[in-house]
Amino acid sequence: MKHRGLFYLQLGFTLLVSAFLIVPVVLSIMAGLTVNYFIGIESGLTLKWVFEVWNGYRDTIFLSIGLSLACLVVTLVLGVPTAYVLAKRQNALTRAIEELLVMPVAVPGLATALALIVTYGSLSGFRTSWGFILVGHVLFTLPFMVRSVLAVLSAIDLKTLEEGAASLGAGFWPRFRDIVLPNCRAGILAGSLMVVTLSMGEFNMTWLLHTPFTKTLPVGLADAYASLRLEVGSAYTLVFFLMIMPLLLALQAFAKPRPAKFVAEETDQ
Amino acid sequence: MTEASKPLAIALENCAKTFADGTKALEPLDFAIEAGETVVFLGPSGCGKTTTLRIIAGLEEPDAGGRVLFDGEDVTHLPIEQRNVGMVFQSYALFPNMTVAGNIGYGLRIRKTPDAAVKARVAEMLGMMQITKLADRRIDQLSGGQRQRVALARAIAVRPRALLLDEPLTALDAKLRDTLRLDIDKLLRSLGITAIYVTHDQAEAMALGDRIVVMEHGRVAQIGKPREIYQRPATRFVAEFIGTMNRLTGTTKDGVFACSAGSLPWAGAPATATEILFRPEDIRVAESGEVTGLQGTVAAAFFLGDRTRLFVEVGEARPLVIESTARRDFSHGEAVRLAIDPRGLLVL
């Protein structure tokens, strides 16, 4: 009987915590769908706000998606080879590089953004392009790609695997393509998930780096909350959800590790 | 067997290896391996045997001045991927991103072999290693013994000029080691391939090697056929590293070796011998009535079925080890008289 009491106590607590997290999400979504938030749900449901957001802020959504995908491409091209070199050559220099790479995560985004503006702000063509924001995002997300690929590469015996491939006649590029890349797939996918998510949601650096023509989704969201009706801001959140969730779910599904199976000693005979 | 390439003769000339941190892994070594021969490099860890193998493979380059010759051709600076040698690693080095068949066929696909030929060769290898059932398994679904069979099949599939094996059985349990040792022996004989095998296990070395190279501290201690190495060890290190060696200390005078266990008539005794060595099979417990000058007391006796292993105390630092086939029990503390076959006596 005592156990039963404990069970309900735990269940109640879990539900309470879940509610604490989920209720604001539901309320926010509902706020974006009600005619007048201050009157409440009695005022009726509408898609008006969602369309308003779609018409007014569509570009920020596409820019954010484009930006995060561009960021992903750059971090893949830079990050995977970097992680490979760091995994292969363990010395004082590579360890220093590994630490330095994390600096943009530790330094406040505002400081990084200011440094970029002070240094490159006068290159007006660059300053006003989305490439300027991309540089900031790459600085911020690169360590996440390098770290997750490096973690996977350090866990496998990369050196021996490569030696095995070389003994079978594979030169550097075939080895990299057939052995290194497929075996750090899990790290690349996990890193990609982080990079896309972080780039998509990055606010404090982007807020300084953006121009009126290069507004990303989170910057637009801040705009909407600050200058428009609460319903519009909430509808914006809803649109954000609808755009991001399928992307993240797809990446997550890719990144699932395959289960290992039981092994018994047997040969044909 | 359809192994087209003819076996390779390998020569090492003045090959030494000093690592970046200054460690001298290998002293200058000159050594020739004949075509089709199986040579085993044997020694404790850190003796330079794996470094030698890696120099032959092309995974390490010897220090300046050293040369590696394949059939007389200088391959010293040729990387492993251009040497066409098959290699089997202690940790197998199988590719986790490929199936068993994918692993075995990889070297052929790298060589741009047509798909049908790859398929046929993979099937042949699977059959040869008796792992046909495992063709579509992933590597993490295999046991250690299965992995080693796949590693062997993968190394042989490309018809290499030589097969290099780096402690291939060390990661396996004893029973599996015996089975696979037999399989590897059969394989090497049937392929007729030049094979270089590195191990720290003297039983493996004796069973597989046409010749054994015993190494110690980066130097060759002795090169010879298994029987020579066992019966005529060149140094104390070789004598004690391979098999069990008994030792008696004493003095020689007028063809008689005298020690604390008694005296031993030895016609050919070198006058200066103060220590004699012999194998457990060259000493036995004397029959009653037999004349012998040696005796000791039984310190321990282990009945092994076909024989009894006796440890006999004779006043030396270590008791003598005797393999007795006598059909009788030995009890702790029992006094036994001992007979030694003088033909087995060594002085080093």
Side-chain angles (χ1 to χ4, degrees), chain B:
Chain B
M1 214 60 52
T2 56
E3 302 306 313
S5 46
K6 90 183 205 339
L8 175 73
I10 299 171
L12 299 177
E13 288 180 6
N14 194 31
C15 282
K17 183 70 190 176
T18 314
F19 284 118
D21 62 357
T23 320
K24 193 104 180 150
L26 186 64
E27 301 290 339
L29 168 69
D30 288 278
F31 184 57
I33 298 162
E34 287 165 31
E37 187 184 24
T38 299
V39 169
V40 178
F41 285 87
L42 172 68
S45 60
C47 71
K49 59 189 192 298
T50 294
T51 304
T52 310
L53 185 80
R54 290 174 65 86
I55 288 174
I56 295 170
L59 290 169
E60 308 277 356
E61 273 194 33
D63 293 347
R67 295 211 306 160
V68 181
L69 305 174
F70 279 14
D71 279 340
E73 181 199 345
D74 189 338
V75 296
T76 314
H77 304 294
L78 215 55
I80 183 168
E81 58 261 35
Q82 289 165 32
R83 289 197 188 185
N84 195 15
V85 291
M87 183 136 181
V88 176
F89 298 82
Q90 183 179 347
S91 60
Y92 320 123
L94 296 174
F95 312 133
N97 56 313
M98 297 179 195
T99 62
V100 167
N103 266 278
I104 298 174
Y106 183 72
L108 296 166
R109 289 200 304 280
I110 283 289
R111 286 163 171 74
K112 309 238 185 305
T113 313
D115 283 350
V118 174
K119 242 177 137 177
R121 181 67 174 165
V122 168
E124 185 190 345
M125 288 296 110
L126 287 167
M128 189 159 115
M129 297 312 297
Q130 299 167 328
I131 47 175
T132 305
K133 278 193 300 193
L134 308 176
D136 298 319
R137 294 256 188 110
R138 289 197 321 268
I139 300 310
D140 60 8
Q141 295 171 306
L142 302 181
S143 66
Q146 292 168 343
R147 284 177 202 212
Q148 201 48 282
R149 284 171 194 273
V150 177
L152 277 164
R154 185 179 74 173
I156 299 164
V158 296
R159 299 187 171 87
R161 302 170 76 190
L163 188 59
L164 313 177
L165 304 109
D166 185 10
E167 306 234 11
L169 304 182
T170 303
L172 302 173
D173 63 58
K175 199 169 164 206
L176 210 54
R177 258 202 314 266
D178 284 348
T179 320
L180 263 165
R181 189 167 69 197
L182 212 65
D183 287 354
I184 289 179
D185 184 51
K186 239 178 6 197
L187 191 70
L188 294 180
R189 311 245 164 261
S190 69
L191 294 178
I193 194 172
T194 307
I196 298 154
Y197 191 107
V198 162
T199 183
H200 65 269
D201 181 324
Q202 44 114 354
E204 252 169 69
M206 301 282 236
L208 293 173
D210 292 325
R211 279 195 297 163
I212 297 175
V213 179
V214 186
M215 297 189 72
E216 182 194 14
H217 299 316
R219 278 175 220 281
V220 170
Q222 189 174 4
I223 301 174
K225 294 198 166 68
R227 191 172 289 278
E228 289 166 14
I229 300 260
Y230 185 80
Q231 291 178 340
R232 293 284 158 224
T235 67
R236 166 83 61 86
F237 169 77
V238 176
E240 304 206 326
F241 189 73
I242 294 176
T244 308
M245 200 49 106
N246 286 315
R247 184 199 313 201
L248 288 173
T249 52
T251 51
T252 314
K253 202 178 170 193
D254 303 330
V256 175
F257 181 80
C259 58
S260 57
S263 60
L264 170 68
W266 184 16
T272 54
T274 55
E275 178 187 74
I276 56 171
L277 301 169
F278 52 95
R279 299 286 185 190
E281 56 269 30
D282 291 318
I283 181 170
R284 59 188 174 78
V285 176
E287 315 276 331
S288 56
E290 192 178 344
V291 181
T292 164
L294 293 170
Q295 62 174 5
T297 54
V298 175
F302 301 110
F303 178 57
L304 301 174
D306 55 341
R307 62 192 194 276
T308 306
R309 178 169 300 153
L310 296 173
F311 291 83
V312 177
E313 200 57 66
V314 286
E316 298 280 342
R318 283 181 306 168
L320 299 180
V321 181
I322 301 171
E323 307 278 353
S324 168
T325 52
R327 292 175 173 276
R328 53 163 284 204
D329 280 334
F330 292 93
S331 53
H332 181 81
E334 181 184 340
V336 283
R337 294 185 308 120
L338 306 167
I340 295 177
D341 183 347
R343 286 171 304 177
L345 292 179
L346 293 169
V347 176
L348 290 174

Side-chain angles (χ1 to χ4, degrees), chain A residues 6 11 18 24 32 40 46 72 82 85 121 134 143 149 153 160 167 185 192 198 212 215 228 230 244 252 254 256 266:
Chain A
L6 188 64
L11 182 68
S18 304
T46 177
L72 175 59
T82 306
V85 172
L134 178 63
V149 176
L153 287 180
T160 311
S167 76
R185 174 178 164 275
S192 301
L198 287 170
K215 239 182 248 177
L228 294 167
L230 186 60
I244 304 303
Q252 198 103 53
F254 263 124
K256 276 219 179 75
E266 55 167 324

